[in-house]
Amino acid sequence: MRKQDMDKRVTISGLPETPREFGFWMDGGWQGARTLYERISPAHGVPVTRIPVCTVDDLNAAVAAARRAFEDRSWAGLSGADRAGVLLRAADILRQRRDEIAYWEVLENGKPIAQARGEIDHCIACFEVGAGAARMLHGDSFNSLGDGLFGMVLREPVGVVGLITPWNFPFLILCERVPFILASGCTMVVKPSEVTSATTLILGEILAEAGLPKGVYNVVTGSGRTIGQAMAEHPDVDMLSFTGSTGVGRSVVHAAADSNFKKLGLELGGKNPIVVFADADLEDAADGAAFGISFNTGQCCVSSSRLIVDRRVADEFEALVVAKMQKIVVGDPLDEATQIGAITTDAQNATILSYIEKGKAEGAKILTGGAAADLGRGSYITPTLFTGVTRDMSIARDEIFGPVLSSFRFDTTDEAIALANDTVYGLAASVWSKNIDTALTVSRRVRAGRFWVNCIMAGGPEMPLGGFKQSGWGREAGTYGVEEYTQVKSVHVEIGKRNHWIK
Ligand code: NAP
């Protein structure tokens, strides 16, 4: 039995006896690497995986493999139905390996096991929706150009796609993109975050088993500074889908402009408002607010980090949110009862704690939380609610990426909308009101790519994902997501005899 297969048999409860060692994935198989990075579980402080530190030569080889697979048409040349068949088989294998994948997500990321399993279920749905989209992908026609000319609009795959993903939802963000990239007929090279690479590598094995031709899906691991930067600059990558911070997104735009003007998809940061009106079901809204900022320890691009609440009910509402937050179970992510687990990296832990200190120093008042939780090992932060926040404070403006909610008050609908839009970001927003006029007015005037009415972080892979303003360019998932990975070609067909220019 190959070492990789033996490693698959690790127990999926408790901690691994030895860290699982990975190769990187290229041209349909595992590749060895000279240097390995050892990932320590952020919750348990023990090594859990060993991940290749790839070189730029490895990246170049992976891009060349993806180029060969694109040009030989082993994937792009298949029918949508055949591509859908591979995606559906991948969904079935994911279903069989759900617990194993969830386990590695927990160990590398620190998220609770029950949540991780739910995320894998969403990933399975992404593959199923991607399969449908592969079959339905189509262009357009113009039968309106007169009897002598017919126009067809074809959708063609862009080519070789580079995909860079962050550490907060390593597998979920991957699967909100990969099936749709594959549905389009593109080939790809993925660079996951160095700290959470395991499940992106495992997907290579799953796709191969599902029948994906070699070279279509490749994974090159290593740091963003070397591999990510080289991918953004690569002259033979036709499109780059980048999910991460707005700062690195900006550097990716420069790299694309300075190399080959590759097409870009950008999914960046957010400072997302949750607007609560006095006529809302306040119990529901409080649960939504506590969930929206605490889920995944607030390390979500769509975390609702700014509470904008009707002054008439603000004190009552903040008390309800505090009560909800104090009931959230913070604990070992391998424990089934845990609702929020460990902060994923030491750097992120330090960033969150520094924002809590800044909030206090700037004069905001903590109603609950505001401290590290001591579980003996790992870094944990209790859900935190600040009140008395003003627009100029750093906790009002910056994406903290942790369980820290800043509360503002409003008197009129216009003021609520202005507060909601007072950010450079435009990723997500929600409104809570039982008045249909209010809910629709706010959802139409707040500038955000995803909007929830009386719910939060709801939805499925049928719906497009993406941001307004500095939260990004383009859309992922659903048919919109597949179309992002295509380019449009106009084909003009003359019918009958040409009307000669030279008489
Ligand atoms: P990040 O530091 O920007 O990293 C994201 C990815 O980019 C990682 O794979 C990283 O690799 C890589 N990277 C780092 N430097 C790079 C460079 N110079 N060139 C190319 N790639 C580079 O973001 P993060 O801290 O991982 O994730 C948190 C951020 O992502 C937050 O701002 C969050 O809002 C955003 N996010 C957005 C969405 C969305 O859908 N809009 C979803 C999730 C997260 P290494 O980690 O290996 O260095």
Side-chain angles (χ1 to χ4, degrees):
M1 186 182 281
R2 289 177 311 147
K3 180 159 190 343
Q4 303 289 352
D5 294 331
M6 286 169 62
D7 284 344
K8 261 198 283 174
R9 297 179 312 166
V10 291
T11 166
I12 53 167
S13 61
L15 292 167
E17 281 165 23
T18 54
R20 178 171 170 182
E21 192 170 311
F22 287 85
F24 65 104
W25 185 265
M26 185 173 72
D27 224 2
W30 294 108
Q31 314 289 324
R34 271 189 293 279
T35 318
L36 295 172
Y37 159 84
E38 195 163 75
R39 175 62 176 154
I40 309 287
S41 163
H44 309 100
V46 300
V48 287
T49 51
R50 292 202 183 112
I51 303 291
V53 180
C54 291
T55 63
V56 172
D57 285 345
D58 296 329
L59 172 70
N60 291 339
V63 172
R67 175 61 59 196
R68 280 194 303 277
F70 184 68
E71 299 297 346
D72 71 16
R73 302 202 51 83
S74 57
W75 185 244
L78 295 185
S79 67
D82 285 344
R83 286 207 284 271
V86 172
L87 295 175
L88 290 174
R89 278 195 294 281
D92 283 344
I93 302 167
L94 278 177
R95 207 169 267 117
Q96 290 156 25
R97 293 181 68 173
R98 168 186 186 252
D99 288 0
E100 175 208 348
I101 296 169
Y103 175 73
W104 294 110
E105 287 283 279
V106 171
L107 292 187
E108 286 195 333
N109 170 280
K111 66 177 67 211
I113 184 76
Q115 176 193 321
R117 286 196 210 104
E119 289 175 17
I120 311 307
D121 291 339
H122 175 84
C123 295
I124 294 165
C126 288
F127 274 84
E128 290 170 343
V129 171
R135 296 192 74 144
M136 293 306 294
L137 181 62
H138 64 279
D140 201 355
S141 65
F142 282 79
N143 199 23
S144 55
L145 305 178
D147 280 348
L149 195 62
F150 178 61
M152 291 181 284
V153 182
L154 308 185
R155 284 203 174 269
E156 297 185 356
V158 171
V160 173
V161 175
L163 177 57
I164 298 179
T165 55
W167 45 257
N168 58 337
F169 290 98
F171 202 66
L172 183 136
I173 287 176
L174 180 76
C175 293
E176 284 179 341
R177 286 138 184 77
V178 169
F180 304 99
I181 297 171
L182 292 178
S184 74
C186 289
T187 62
M188 75 186 89
V189 180
V190 189
K191 205 249 30 114
S193 173
E194 183 172 44
V195 296
T196 53
S197 298
T199 54
T200 304
L201 289 162
I202 292 171
L203 185 62
E205 200 174 59
I206 290 171
L207 290 170
E209 193 182 333
L212 190 74
K214 70 186 177 83
V216 177
Y217 176 89
N218 308 276
V219 184
V220 178
T221 47
S223 81
R225 273 190 318 280
T226 51
I227 302 301
Q229 183 70 29
M231 188 183 266
E233 291 169 355
H234 205 292
D236 206 28
V237 170
D238 299 304
M239 176 170 174
L240 181 69
S241 166
F242 171 83
T243 303
S245 60
T246 295
V248 177
R250 189 166 280 115
S251 80
V252 157
V253 171
H254 287 298
D258 291 343
S259 54
N260 61 341
F261 275 108
K262 55 181 65 63
K263 185 176 178 182
L264 290 176
L266 302 173
E267 300 278 326
L268 308 174
K271 188 74 181 174
N272 311 296
I274 166 170
V275 183
V276 179
F277 283 83
D279 63 8
D281 180 322
L282 295 185
E283 288 279 350
D284 280 2
D287 190 69
F291 167 73
I293 191 61
S294 306
F295 181 69
N296 212 46
T297 57
Q299 299 174 128
C300 299
C301 53
V302 292
S303 291
S304 45
S305 50
R306 291 183 299 137
L307 170 61
I308 298 171
V309 57
D310 198 321
R311 194 179 303 281
R312 290 169 292 173
V313 293
D315 290 338
E316 176 193 353
F317 187 72
E318 286 174 350
L320 287 171
V321 175
V322 167
K324 286 278 182 184
M325 280 180 160
Q326 289 176 349
K327 283 192 197 157
I328 294 170
V329 181
V330 182
D332 184 326
L334 284 171
D335 186 334
E336 294 287 341
T338 293
Q339 287 176 294
I340 69 173
I343 304 298
T344 303
T345 65
D346 291 344
Q348 189 55 29
N349 189 54
T351 300
I352 300 167
L353 293 174
S354 78
Y355 272 108
I356 291 173
E357 290 312 310
K358 278 185 209 167
K360 288 195 260 183
E362 286 171 341
K365 184 176 161 212
I366 290 187
L367 291 181
T368 188
D374 185 4
L375 272 70
R377 56 185 181 178
S379 304
Y380 296 83
I381 295 177
T382 50
T384 301
L385 176 59
F386 272 108
T387 193
V389 181
T390 55
R391 290 175 182 226
D392 52 324
M393 292 180 186
S394 52
I395 58 168
R397 311 212 70 80
D398 299 352
E399 182 186 44
I400 299 172
F401 223 53
V404 181
L405 179 59
S406 300
S407 180
F408 306 79
R409 296 171 182 209
F410 69 86
D411 293 301
T412 65
T413 303
D414 281 348
E415 195 186 345
I417 292 167
L419 271 165
N421 282 331
D422 186 18
T423 169
V424 296
Y425 298 111
L427 196 58
S430 77
V431 64
W432 298 74
S433 168
K434 290 296 180 192
N435 182 319
I436 186 78
D437 297 346
T438 306
L440 277 178
T441 299
V442 176
S443 52
R444 289 167 70 171
R445 285 179 47 199
V446 171
R447 299 186 63 208
R450 268 197 275 179
F451 203 96
W452 292 290
V453 178
N454 294 326
C455 59
I456 206 147
M457 290 194 224
E462 296 86 352
M463 300 277 280
L465 322 169
F468 285 26
K469 303 198 288 187
Q470 292 186 33
S471 291
W473 293 344
R475 294 294 177 269
E476 303 283 358
T479 48
Y480 293 88
V482 180
E483 288 176 0
E484 285 288 332
Y485 295 99
T486 64
Q487 43 195 351
V488 164
K489 178 184 282 177
S490 298
V491 178
H492 306 79
V493 183
E494 184 152 307
I495 301 169
K497 184 84 181 126
R498 176 174 171 78
N499 180 10
H500 285 219
W501 183 55
I502 306 159
K503 303 287 181 192

